[in-house]
Amino acid sequence: MRDITIIFLTVNKVPEKWAEYQKSVLLEAIGNTPIITISKKPLDWGINLIQDEEPSVRNIYAQILRGSKLAKTLYIAIAEDDCLYPRCHYEYRPPKGTYAYNSSRWGLHTWGEPVFYHKSRISNATLIAERELIIESLENRFSKYQSDHIGELGKEKGTSLDKKEIQMFWSEIPMIYLSHIDAIDPLEQS
């Protein structure tokens, strides 16, 4: 998997035990694949970039752009600190000019009675796409819009942005999303 760079995003709000476990699962899944970690606090793995801005949806995209510009590979895959990824997720390559999102995604509520569910919607946490496509799309977005609520790449709602094709794929082993009270997206909080 030398043609893909993983951009790992965290604002260091998940419990430390989660963070250590997620790191071990991610590193096992990606092997020696290049990784750029973007965090609020320093991390001692991957190429680590520190983000100074407060957490927001817009900042997530700013950090994805920042990491994509630093990467040298043809493809980018996003990894988030509240997801567990199998290796097969990162082996997928989308067609040229297409944003790919993994539909094989199970959620688990981490408060109250444990509840798990299938979550079939596009999410940055499942994105794989060409590096240049991501850079072009995000630079275009930031030059035209200031809103936090535009949506995932390829699904820029309420804009005149040149939308690219979206492809959903299913990894053989699903990824797991841990829904928690410190999530940036209020819909994912308790």
Side-chain angles (χ1 to χ4, degrees):
M1 294 194 304
R2 302 303 291 171
D3 64 342
I4 193 167
T5 297
I6 311 306
I7 297 177
F8 174 76
L9 303 169
T10 183
V11 292
N12 306 100
K13 286 191 171 190
V14 298
E16 284 187 39
K17 286 185 178 183
W18 281 24
E20 282 304 312
Y21 182 70
Q22 196 279 349
K23 174 185 172 183
S24 70
V25 170
L26 180 63
L27 292 178
E28 182 180 329
I30 67 171
N32 63 357
T33 302
I35 186 165
I36 298 170
T37 59
I38 304 178
S39 57
K40 290 289 279 181
K41 298 176 187 174
L43 297 176
D44 62 357
W45 52 292
I47 297 171
N48 186 228
L49 304 176
I50 301 297
Q51 54 177 308
D52 296 326
E53 294 180 37
E54 287 305 309
S56 69
V57 174
R58 181 177 173 78
N59 186 43
I60 290 170
Y61 292 108
Q63 299 309 319
I64 291 171
L65 177 59
R66 187 175 170 213
S68 296
K69 286 182 173 182
L70 183 62
K72 303 293 183 217
T73 55
L74 180 59
Y75 295 98
I76 296 292
I78 304 303
E80 294 184 0
D81 67 353
D82 51 11
C83 296
L84 301 172
Y85 297 90
R87 180 173 183 81
C88 59
H89 168 76
Y90 294 112
E91 292 172 340
Y92 183 80
R93 298 297 180 270
K96 186 170 179 55
T98 302
Y99 296 110
Y101 293 95
N102 192 347
S103 287
S104 189
R105 178 179 181 224
W106 284 87
L108 175 66
H109 286 178
T110 61
W111 62 88
E113 194 67 29
V115 175
F116 66 94
Y117 52 95
H118 178 253
K119 191 165 191 172
S120 184
R121 73 169 178 88
I122 67 171
S123 167
N124 284 324
T126 70
L127 174 65
I128 299 175
E130 295 166 290
R131 183 179 67 87
E132 290 299 325
L133 178 64
I134 291 172
I135 292 170
E136 176 188 326
S137 294
L138 288 175
E139 285 181 340
N140 189 22
R141 175 186 289 199
F142 287 134
S143 73
K144 294 180 179 178
Y145 296 96
Q146 299 301 312
S147 173
D148 250 11
H149 305 289
I150 292 177
E152 282 82 355
L153 291 168
K155 190 181 176 185
E156 292 88 352
K157 55 189 171 203
T159 73
S160 63
L161 294 171
D162 182 24
K163 294 173 184 61
K164 306 296 183 188
E165 186 174 334
I166 292 175
Q167 180 182 64
M168 303 304 286
F169 71 99
W170 287 79
S171 58
E172 182 178 342
I173 300 169
M175 56 179 289
I176 299 172
Y177 169 74
L178 302 170
S179 187
H180 58 96
I181 61 172
D182 287 321
I184 292 174
D185 183 347
L187 297 175
E188 301 298 343
Q189 301 167 357
S190 64

